[in-house]
Amino acid sequence: MFNKDRTRYWSLLLSKFLAGQGLTQLTNLLTGLLLLRLLPLEQYALYTIANVMLGMASVVADLGLSHGVMSIGARLREDRTSLSRLIASAQRYRWVLGSIAIVLLFVLTPFMTGKHGWSVTQIGTVLLIITLSIWVRLVIGLRGTVFEIYHDADSVTRTDLPAAFLRLAVTGISCALFPLAVVALAANLFSLMVQSLLVARRAKRYIDFSAPRDPAHSQALKRFFFPLIPSTLYYAFQGQISIFLISLFGSSTAIAQVGALGRLGQILGVLGALNGFFVLPYFARIASRELFVKRAALLLGALFLFAGILILSAYVVPDWWLLILGQHYNDLHRELPVAIAASMIAFIAGITYTLLIAKGATAGQHFLIYVNLSIQVAFIGLIGVQSTYEAFLLNLAMALGTLSVNMILLIRMSVRQQSWAPAGSA
């Protein structure tokens, strides 16, 4: 039945969130585009590899834990004490995982940077900045989940937007004077530290930072994210396999081009933010199988339509897209549609994953490893990855494999799952 008041509530909430996140993501996009123009190709290649390593380490430091906090926390939002103890329980896992991520980071760095002529000093400084950035991200990510649990769009905007503006200003000034990858990474770290302080101040209204761990919550989190570890570890590395392979077999120019086209994926930043803020907690509270299926189908249908429009535009008006990237990258007409398609399909695959974990359906994710490893081995054997086009073609093939498996798991869950009762109402 149509509920006018509830529709108005969600419309206002989403409008407020999209407005704040839209401005935040636009600011981040401007920062990324500014770097494309300020950094020489060689330095932008190093910056791209550093961001890939930071992204991989951040995934390893999480392993689905934040999703578990949001899924379980959505049912505890009326109990501040219990929610605080859930966050404290998750924090213990997070520090252990973060330490493992940093060790892996130091192991992988020589393989990704060894053949491109960067100095030991540059690489060592990059490693130090990435390590510090990971620890700050751990704090921001875990405490920031409470804003999504409570649908607090104001807090999301008031912590993300100032940090984005600061990042743009500091990056622009510092990289104009010193066009180096390490300078850009240091500017990002500085903005993360400021954001961490803002998140801590606003999160205090929801959680008590001094709350002790709860063994029951620790076990619940363990049951939630342990089944996700194989697939999450896989994606921590395989999700960036194209950059890894290009860094081994390709040139610095190819690395920079892959990183530049990847910047266009930031256009999906607003929708990506909705994934955690709206999709997961909202669908986690839906108590009816029929309602879940209906709303999931509407969501996915709208996203496929949006994806089709974007991919078509990359064929019809490619120069509009390439104008965004700047003169160093205006000859990537062949690579552009594949890059847009890979980003959109990967995004939709991420939404299907969120729909699964919203109802605690974490089993079956290991099938993704088998499917995508098969795709990867076949692709490398038949085609190889030495150019920008081949890198994005591999990304597209793997995104399609992920989407296919998650759709099958989503259909299976919709048919077989017995318990649909959440703590709150949808």
Side-chain angles (χ1 to χ4, degrees), residues 312-324 332-334 336-337:
L312 181 62
S313 72
Y315 282 103
V316 177
V317 285
D319 290 335
W320 293 8
W321 287 97
L322 295 176
L323 182 64
I324 298 173
L332 299 176
H333 290 81
R334 183 184 182 217
L336 177 66

Side-chain angles (χ1 to χ4, degrees), residues 241-243 245-246 249-250 254 257-258 261 334-335 338-339 342 379-380 382-398:
I241 188 64
S242 59
I243 289 287
L245 292 172
I246 282 288
F249 304 114
Q257 289 175 341
V258 171
L261 284 172
R334 183 184 182 217
E335 293 83 357
V338 182
F379 189 96
I380 294 173
L382 295 173
I383 300 175
V385 181
Q386 296 183 351
S387 69
T388 305
Y389 180 78
E390 291 165 350
F392 279 106
L393 201 61
L394 174 59
N395 286 347
L396 177 58
M398 295 177 66

Side-chain angles (χ1 to χ4, degrees), residues 164-412:
F165 280 141
L166 182 63
R167 183 181 298 112
L168 175 61
V170 175
T171 299
I173 295 171
S174 60
C175 288
L177 296 173
F178 307 100
L180 300 171
V182 294
V183 173
L185 292 168
N188 180 66
L189 173 60
F190 178 69
S191 67
L192 283 175
M193 294 170 67
V194 173
Q195 184 179 4
S196 176
L197 295 175
L198 295 174
V199 169
R201 187 177 67 180
R202 297 191 69 86
K204 286 181 180 179
R205 69 184 66 183
Y206 299 117
I207 56 174
D208 178 6
F209 295 152
S210 64
R213 297 192 301 269
D214 186 327
H217 287 327
S218 295
Q219 287 301 314
L221 287 169
K222 183 178 179 180
R223 287 193 299 270
F224 185 97
F225 84 89
F226 265 41
L228 298 175
I229 288 178
S231 60
T232 308
L233 278 175
Y234 168 78
Y235 277 108
F237 302 99
Q238 301 300 320
Q240 301 291 343
I241 188 64
S242 59
I243 289 287
F244 186 77
L245 292 172
I246 282 288
S247 67
L248 288 177
F249 304 114
S251 64
S252 298
T253 298
I255 296 172
Q257 289 175 341
V258 171
L261 284 172
R263 284 287 171 189
L264 296 177
Q266 285 187 291
I267 295 173
L268 301 177
V270 178
L271 293 177
L274 278 176
N275 203 6
F277 180 82
F278 171 69
V279 176
L280 196 156
Y282 177 75
F283 279 89
R285 294 198 302 274
I286 292 182
S288 162
R289 183 197 311 269
E290 291 73 20
L291 186 60
F292 182 94
V293 171
K294 178 181 177 181
R295 294 185 178 175
L298 287 172
L299 174 62
L300 292 174
L303 290 175
F304 275 116
L305 177 61
F306 178 65
I309 293 172
L310 282 189
I311 295 169
L312 181 62
S313 72
Y315 282 103
V316 177
V317 285
D319 290 335
W320 293 8
W321 287 97
L322 295 176
L323 182 64
I324 298 173
L325 299 181
Q327 61 180 358
H328 293 310
Y329 309 96
N330 58 12
D331 59 343
L332 299 176
H333 290 81
R334 183 184 182 217
E335 293 83 357
L336 177 66
V338 182
I340 297 294
S343 295
M344 283 305 308
I345 297 301
F347 172 72
I348 298 174
I351 292 290
T352 59
Y353 173 77
T354 300
L355 292 173
L356 285 165
I357 64 174
K359 306 309 293 184
T362 57
Q365 288 293 315
H366 60 281
F367 287 113
L368 291 170
I369 300 176
Y370 309 142
V371 171
N372 277 343
L373 275 179
S374 299
I375 292 173
Q376 179 185 318
V377 170
F379 189 96
I380 294 173
L382 295 173
I383 300 175
V385 181
Q386 296 183 351
S387 69
T388 305
Y389 180 78
E390 291 165 350
F392 279 106
L393 201 61
L394 174 59
N395 286 347
L396 177 58
M398 295 177 66
L400 287 170
T402 302
L403 178 61
S404 300
V405 173
N406 278 343
M407 288 295 293
I408 292 171
L409 293 176
L410 189 60
I411 293 170
R412 186 182 70 171

Side-chain angles (χ1 to χ4, degrees), residues 63-75:
L63 290 183
L65 186 62
S66 59
H67 288 146
V69 171
M70 283 190 285
S71 182
I72 298 170
R75 308 168 192 179

